[in-house]
Amino acid sequence: MANNSEFYRGKRKKTAPALIATIIILAVITFAVMLFYGLQKYIVVTNSGLHLEIPFLQDDSAKPVESDDGEVVRNQQNAVVQQSFEPVNAQLEIGQADYSNIKAVAGENLGAVKLVYVPASSVTVSGVESYLSKAPDASGVLLDVKTVTGMLVWDSQADIAKGYGTAGTVDLKSIVSSLKEQDKYVAVRMCCFVDNTLASRYTQLALKTTAGQAYSDSNGAWLDPTNATVKSYILSLCSELSKMGVDEIVLLGMRLPEVSGLEFAFSSSSAVKPTPVTAVSSFGISVTRAMRSSSTKMSVQLTSSTALQNGTDEVTGQSADILLKVFDRVYCSAESASAADTVTKGADYVKLGEAKMRIVPMCSGQSPSTDCWVLME
């Protein structure tokens, strides 16, 4: 019989060391992953890079130590510092916008303008030439291109003009080019807030009373000066005129109705209800700021004698003090004999440039002796 001890026993594979090494590597990897994700919340980003700040490894001596009453602290040098904090009652108040202290940015380096007024119905090649022939000493024209009717003289491509049928048919660009070739100064006048056509066809833009009724008076139907679409429409028209080569745009009717005691329901998104002054001033500032990059001068016609005498008309919202800071010129009606006095009255509100170049009297019959003027019909 064969001895069992003599049977051949095969060689066993030495797997134990490899298994142990694999377990150790997996454990290290697992620990590293857990450590990485666990310490992410202690990573601090500073200007000098990433830093790891672990609370239990921080030097407590460098931290401020607060006493029970919250006043005694220890600084980084471990010195005791006495601090006291007074209670503060913070209260948020939202008030009316104040434009009285805005910086004057317009009115410098202006030349004299002596213009003859051309009504909208006569803005044609022959019509303009006819009016120029009546005023041989005029250096240019003031063309009425948008009246209280809301209809435009020229064939505007503005979306609202096309959509609501306010565009005209005159090739205004050709007229402007012809006048420039004759070395004539070209100014145009647009009515802003009195717009019979748009107020009736696009009723959301109409100025409404607090009772919800669209407002109109002997001047016509009014638009809301705080409405963003109204502002966008006027700006689009100004941009078109500027691209035609117009030298100056005069905004007429940039005011509220002359009616006391009647409140309007402005569509402004402001947290505070606008006043006539803030509504008109805000519109003027926005329009002139948007047009500042163009070479076209931006001006306004004051229809309030109070604004020129006292600086501000609280009812219509026109403020000579504010408007002369952002508009290049202010046009105003005057008698030829007293035109110089009108310029003198407005001089108090001129911060930049010369009053004689920035206050423009609009006179009928004959031109005044002032440096700048508009000869009306």
Side-chain angles (χ1 to χ4, degrees), residues 47-262:
N47 291 332
S48 58
L50 300 177
H51 300 280
L52 191 62
E53 294 186 1
I54 303 175
F56 58 81
L57 296 180
Q58 297 298 309
D59 183 4
D60 292 339
S61 64
K63 296 180 179 180
V65 178
E66 192 175 300
S67 65
D68 293 338
D69 58 8
E71 294 185 351
V72 179
V73 298
R74 184 177 292 120
N75 62 14
Q76 292 184 352
Q77 287 73 39
N78 209 33
V80 175
V81 179
Q82 186 74 24
Q83 292 185 347
S84 60
F85 302 96
E86 297 181 0
V88 176
N89 295 324
Q91 185 176 3
L92 178 63
E93 293 185 0
I94 302 177
Q96 284 287 352
D98 182 10
Y99 298 116
S100 61
N101 294 321
I102 63 170
K103 182 180 179 181
V105 295
E108 291 185 298
N109 304 317
L110 296 177
V113 289
K114 298 179 179 181
L115 313 175
V116 59
Y117 169 73
V118 181
S121 59
S122 297
V123 179
T124 60
V125 174
S126 59
V128 172
E129 291 298 331
S130 175
Y131 273 86
L132 276 172
S133 65
K134 298 176 184 178
D137 54 344
S139 61
V141 294
L142 175 62
L143 309 177
D144 219 348
V145 296
K146 181 178 184 290
T147 66
V148 295
T149 64
M151 295 301 297
L152 308 176
V153 165
W154 80 100
D155 185 16
S156 172
Q157 297 304 300
D159 291 339
I160 289 181
K162 293 170 64 178
Y164 290 89
T166 62
T169 58
V170 173
D171 184 1
L172 185 60
K173 185 176 180 179
S174 296
I175 295 176
V176 172
S177 298
S178 175
L179 289 168
K180 301 286 282 186
E181 289 175 359
Q182 301 173 49
D183 199 25
K184 297 296 184 181
Y185 190 88
V186 182
V188 298
R189 187 175 73 167
M190 294 199 311
C191 190
C192 286
F193 303 151
V194 182
D195 190 315
N196 293 336
T197 304
L198 206 57
S200 62
R201 296 179 184 178
Y202 196 166
T203 56
Q204 294 92 326
L205 305 186
L207 177 64
K208 297 179 177 63
T209 65
T210 52
Q213 297 177 336
Y215 181 82
S216 62
D217 55 20
S218 59
N219 295 290
W222 292 72
L223 299 179
D224 183 351
T226 69
N227 189 290
T229 303
V230 172
K231 185 185 303 180
S232 177
Y233 178 49
I234 297 299
L235 269 174
S236 65
L237 299 181
C238 289
S239 179
E240 276 192 338
L241 293 168
S242 178
K243 291 176 182 178
M244 292 181 193
V246 167
D247 295 302
E248 186 172 347
I249 298 172
V250 181
L251 299 183
L252 170 66
M254 202 188 79
R255 64 180 180 90
L256 286 175
E258 293 183 64
V259 52
S260 301
L262 182 62

Side-chain angles (χ1 to χ4, degrees), residues 332-342 361-364 366 368 370:
C332 49
S333 298
E335 298 293 333
S336 297
S338 59
D341 293 334
T342 300
M362 306 176 74
C363 307
S364 299
Q366 63 180 18
T370 53

Side-chain angles (χ1 to χ4, degrees), residues 353-374:
E354 302 176 274
K356 63 182 182 179
M357 298 298 173
R358 300 196 60 198
I359 311 295
V360 184
M362 306 176 74
C363 307
S364 299
Q366 63 180 18
S367 58
S369 59
T370 53
D371 293 81
C372 296
W373 47 260
V374 175

